[in-house]
Amino acid sequence: ETGVTQTPRHLVMGMTNKKSLKCEQHLGHNAMYWYKQSAKKPLELMFVYNFKEQTENNSVPSRFSPECPNSSHLFLHLHTLQPEDSALYLCASSQDPTGTQYFGPGTRLLVL
Amino acid sequence: DQQVKQNSPSLSVQEGRISILNCDYTNSMFDYFLWYKKYPAEGPTFLISISSIKDKNEDGRFTVFLNKSAKHLSLHIVPSQPGDSAVYFCAASGRNSGGSNYKLTFGKGTLLTVNP
């Protein structure tokens, strides 16, 4: 497996559910990112991790909870989401926070 | 307020001709610019980048031009091929206030369609 992988690729959840998105990078990078892409909007940075430490939280609601157990894995835990949270969630990684970012295929999330 | 703007949501070009995708930015602290390409159901793929110390970077059929005084960059694809049909995102980065991270700020994207 190479590059950046994300699972699941599609997710439908109710507003009371708890689910997690997983991202794994096989590039030996040290920085990982979560982005959100809503319809007709630019990609929005949510979180940045560098060497497992969170270095950026872009005013994301607490119903989104990231976890980075090591430099290769990044999770986004979801609970009590709203329908407006339906979007494409993209994970990316880079060698360091100044490096070119490489993206995974994304998880298409639908909150009912 | 959008700091990176791609004012053309779509562009249609004939195969073999030149495609020119434009991007404007407002933040003078941006010092690195990137273009990403995105196919449906896939994540963005890095295409080409340029540092603010340069005004041109070329990679095969792709050339990015940077005009710092106008805060404008463009991506030229020549010759265009049907496989180039995708959404193209412009992105810019610069040191955020008080920190050492470089945040990527994206435009909304331009859908390029290359007709055979």
Side-chain angles (χ1 to χ4, degrees), chain B residues 3-62:
Chain B
Q3 297 186 64
V4 177
K5 298 180 185 178
Q6 293 177 257
N7 292 318
S8 298
S10 63
L11 174 68
S12 186
V13 168
Q14 208 60 32
E15 181 179 6
R17 307 294 289 267
I18 185 170
S19 296
I20 300 177
L21 297 126
N22 293 303
C23 179
D24 297 292
Y25 62 96
T26 57
N27 190 339
S28 56
M29 297 301 290
F30 287 147
D31 56 11
Y32 193 63
F33 304 89
L34 308 91
W35 284 95
Y36 284 85
K37 173 172 139 177
K38 185 180 183 301
Y39 292 117
E42 293 183 15
T45 303
F46 169 69
L47 198 55
I48 193 169
S49 62
I50 188 167
S51 164
S52 60
I53 62 173
K54 292 187 171 183
D55 54 19
K56 176 182 173 182
N57 188 25
E58 191 172 349
D59 183 3
R61 296 186 297 114
F62 302 91

Side-chain angles (χ1 to χ4, degrees), chain A residues 9 35 37 40-43 45 55-56 58 88 90 97-98 100-105, chain B residues 2 32 34 36 38 41-44 46 49 89 96 100-104 106-108:
Chain A
R9 293 295 307 276
Y35 285 86
Q37 186 179 25
K40 298 184 180 179
K41 286 189 176 181
L43 272 74
L45 179 67
T55 57
E56 182 97 21
N58 206 24
L88 179 68
L90 289 158
T98 68
T100 298
Q101 293 177 28
Y102 295 86
F103 285 81
Chain B
Q2 249 190 294
Y32 193 63
L34 308 91
Y36 284 85
K38 185 180 183 301
E42 293 183 15
F46 169 69
S49 62
F89 291 98
N96 64 0
S100 60
N101 292 339
Y102 281 73
K103 286 176 61 172
L104 267 187
F106 283 83
K108 288 186 179 181

